[in-house]
């Protein structure tokens, strides 16, 4: 299927591989942007970056069942294929890869990928098996699209850390390009799940980032006590939102190792559950600067 402006929509692995073979034969570089769709400005920023750096841009839209837990929101994850295709075409995406679940997981697997490092903390801890699903689907997608570069958002900082590990471990010849978190004007990190916030929760949600900014200021002013920083964030979120804090943590980044003394590059990451959506956000700070 080809849209009005010439963007291809490919639904099968076989056709996708054929397209990629031709591109590589013509020595065209490929930039790959994996997403679960319901596109927003954050995704579009990744596409823009991929357009700048590559001859061809492939965008995948696939809500990957293996990265959702049994009681998570796979079924009700927001989807809008037509809107996504219009936005992708507008951004100049060359190919949208839109496989079905059966296309990506046609047989019962004979092997299993497990993410063993950088996953016993943060979302890996709160969402057991989540990153196993992420490395599984990314390995499949990387083999299908054979990109020179793949684009990821720092909003999902743990995903970036795990993906970098995957690429290093298995020698994927792919450069991982990381893009800063894109935010609403009021500071809320753009997310497909924001549509599930009630009006009141949407008003409260910018306080997630506000609490992180407050923590960054404390650190810049010389605070080095991890517990005090965590407490400042917790208090801020509890005072300004009805959300339930899932975690507030500080780790070394990107190794996600425990820190006893605040030094070098660290991540402050939070996850907060609202009535119908669990939101995450983070800031990464270089303490030496
Ligand atoms: P998703 O569709 O949520 O799986 O996200 C697909 C890609 O877009 C991932 O690499 C995300 O990190 C990235 N992304 C999602 N939200 C944002 C955002 N607000 N800013 C930058 N990148 C984002």
């Amino acid at each position: 299927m080809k849209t009005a402006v010439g963007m291809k929509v490919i639904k099968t692995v076989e056709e996708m591989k054929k397209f990629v073979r031709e591109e590589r034969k013509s020595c065209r570089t490929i930039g790959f942007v994996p997403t679960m769709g319901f596109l927003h400005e954050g995704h579009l920023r990744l596409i823009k970056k991929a357009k700048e750096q590559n001859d061809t841009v492939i965008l995948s839209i696939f809500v990957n069942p293996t990265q959702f837990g049994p009681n998570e929101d796979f079924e009700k994850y927001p989807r809008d294929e037509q809107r996504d295709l219009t936005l992708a075409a507008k951004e100049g995406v060359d190919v949208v890869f839109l496989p079905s679940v059966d296309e990506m997981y046609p047989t019962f697997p004979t092997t299993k990928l497990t993410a063993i490092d950088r996953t016993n903390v943060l979302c890996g801890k709160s969402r057991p098996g989540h990153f196993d699903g992420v490395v599984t689907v990314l390995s499949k997608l990387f083999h299908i699209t054979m990109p020179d570069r793949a684009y990821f958002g720092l909003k999902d900082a743990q995903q970036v850390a795990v993906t970098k590990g995957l690429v290093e471990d298995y020698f994927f010849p792919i450069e991982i390009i990381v893009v800063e978190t894109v935010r609403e004007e009021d500071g809320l990190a753009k997310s497909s799940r924001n549509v599930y916030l009630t009006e009141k929760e949407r008003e409260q949600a910018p306080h997630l980032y506000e609490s992180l900014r407050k923590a960054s200021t404390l650190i810049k002013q010389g605070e080095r006590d991890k517990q005090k920083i965590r407490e400042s964030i917790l208090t801020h979120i509890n005072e300004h939102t009805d959300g339930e804090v899932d975690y507030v943590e500080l780790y070394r980044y990107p190794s996600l190792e425990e820190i006893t003394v605040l030094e070098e590059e660290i991540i402050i990451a939070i996850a907060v559950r609202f009535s119908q959506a669990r939101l995450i956000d983070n800031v990464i700070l270089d303490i030496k600067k």
Side-chain angles (χ1 to χ4, degrees):
M1 176 175 141
K2 248 186 169 185
T3 57
V5 286
M7 183 179 79
K8 265 173 172 288
V9 179
I10 294 181
K11 298 197 171 184
T12 67
V13 172
E14 198 187 326
E15 199 187 334
M16 194 65 242
K17 282 175 138 179
K18 191 164 156 239
F19 175 86
V20 167
R21 257 197 315 273
E22 292 303 319
E23 292 300 288
R24 297 197 76 84
K25 234 193 256 166
S26 321
C27 296
R28 291 170 64 77
T29 55
I30 297 175
F32 175 50
V33 182
T35 78
M36 298 203 299
F38 211 69
L39 302 181
H40 53 67
E41 193 59 44
H43 299 116
L44 303 187
R45 196 70 62 84
L46 303 190
I47 295 170
K48 282 196 180 88
K49 190 87 192 160
K51 289 280 298 173
E52 279 166 29
Q53 298 183 327
N54 303 276
D55 298 320
T56 298
V57 172
I58 301 175
L59 170 79
S60 68
I61 298 177
F62 180 61
V63 185
N64 173 37
T66 64
Q67 70 190 65
F68 287 79
N71 298 316
E72 292 184 356
D73 57 351
F74 173 70
E75 293 298 339
K76 70 172 180 71
Y77 193 85
R79 292 161 168 93
D80 191 340
E81 203 175 293
Q82 277 320 310
R83 184 177 157 274
D84 284 352
L85 292 180
T86 306
L87 286 172
K90 225 164 146 186
E91 285 306 321
V93 166
D94 298 287
V95 178
V96 177
F97 181 45
L98 201 69
S100 66
V101 172
D102 283 346
E103 189 67 21
M104 288 298 282
Y105 296 97
T107 51
F108 195 77
T110 54
T111 56
K112 205 167 181 305
L113 287 185
T114 310
I116 52 172
D117 194 22
R118 305 174 178 180
T119 54
N120 57 345
V121 297
L122 307 176
C123 290
K125 193 170 164 194
S126 311
R127 303 181 67 188
H130 169 67
F131 285 110
D132 297 346
V134 169
V135 294
T136 301
V137 77
L138 284 179
S139 299
K140 286 175 182 255
L141 289 169
F142 286 166
H143 283 125
I144 296 164
T145 59
M146 292 175 69
D148 296 274
R149 301 178 188 85
Y151 294 80
F152 292 87
L154 207 47
K155 166 164 176 288
D156 299 279
Q158 189 171 17
Q159 176 168 275
V160 167
V162 171
T163 303
K164 283 184 169 171
L166 170 75
V167 165
E168 276 171 34
D169 287 349
Y170 291 94
F171 307 107
F172 279 98
I174 300 172
E175 191 183 349
I176 300 298
I177 309 285
V178 181
V179 175
E180 286 291 325
T181 302
V182 178
R183 298 178 180 282
E184 303 285 354
E185 261 174 33
D186 59 14
L188 174 63
K190 299 243 184 191
S191 164
S192 307
R193 289 185 170 101
N194 289 349
V195 290
Y196 288 129
L197 296 171
T198 64
E199 208 174 307
K200 187 172 170 215
E201 289 170 343
R202 175 62 189 84
E203 276 169 26
Q204 299 171 345
H207 281 289
L208 270 64
Y209 185 49
E210 189 55 37
S211 74
L212 292 170
R213 291 197 348 167
K214 225 166 142 181
S216 310
T217 306
L218 281 178
I219 292 173
K220 281 185 193 128
Q221 288 167 347
E223 183 58 76
R224 291 291 179 271
D225 184 331
K226 203 168 88 174
Q227 283 317 324
K228 282 201 182 136
I229 296 161
R230 288 189 68 235
E231 272 156 33
S232 143
I233 296 171
L234 267 170
T235 309
H236 188 95
I237 293 175
N238 287 334
E239 274 177 8
H240 293 93
T241 80
D242 298 327
E244 186 195 328
V245 174
D246 181 1
Y247 61 70
V248 174
E249 298 294 348
L250 287 79
Y251 290 108
R252 193 164 286 133
Y253 193 79
S255 67
L256 299 179
E257 289 161 352
E258 287 286 343
I259 34 174
T260 34
V261 186
L262 293 195
E263 57 183 5
E264 296 176 20
E265 202 155 26
I266 64 155
I267 182 169
I268 314 177
I270 56 178
V272 179
R273 276 181 216 285
F274 288 92
S275 57
Q276 299 296 321
R278 176 180 172 279
L279 302 188
I280 58 171
D281 204 349
N282 68 76
V283 289
I284 292 172
L285 303 173
D286 195 341
I287 304 278
K288 280 182 302 194
K289 283 184 189 161

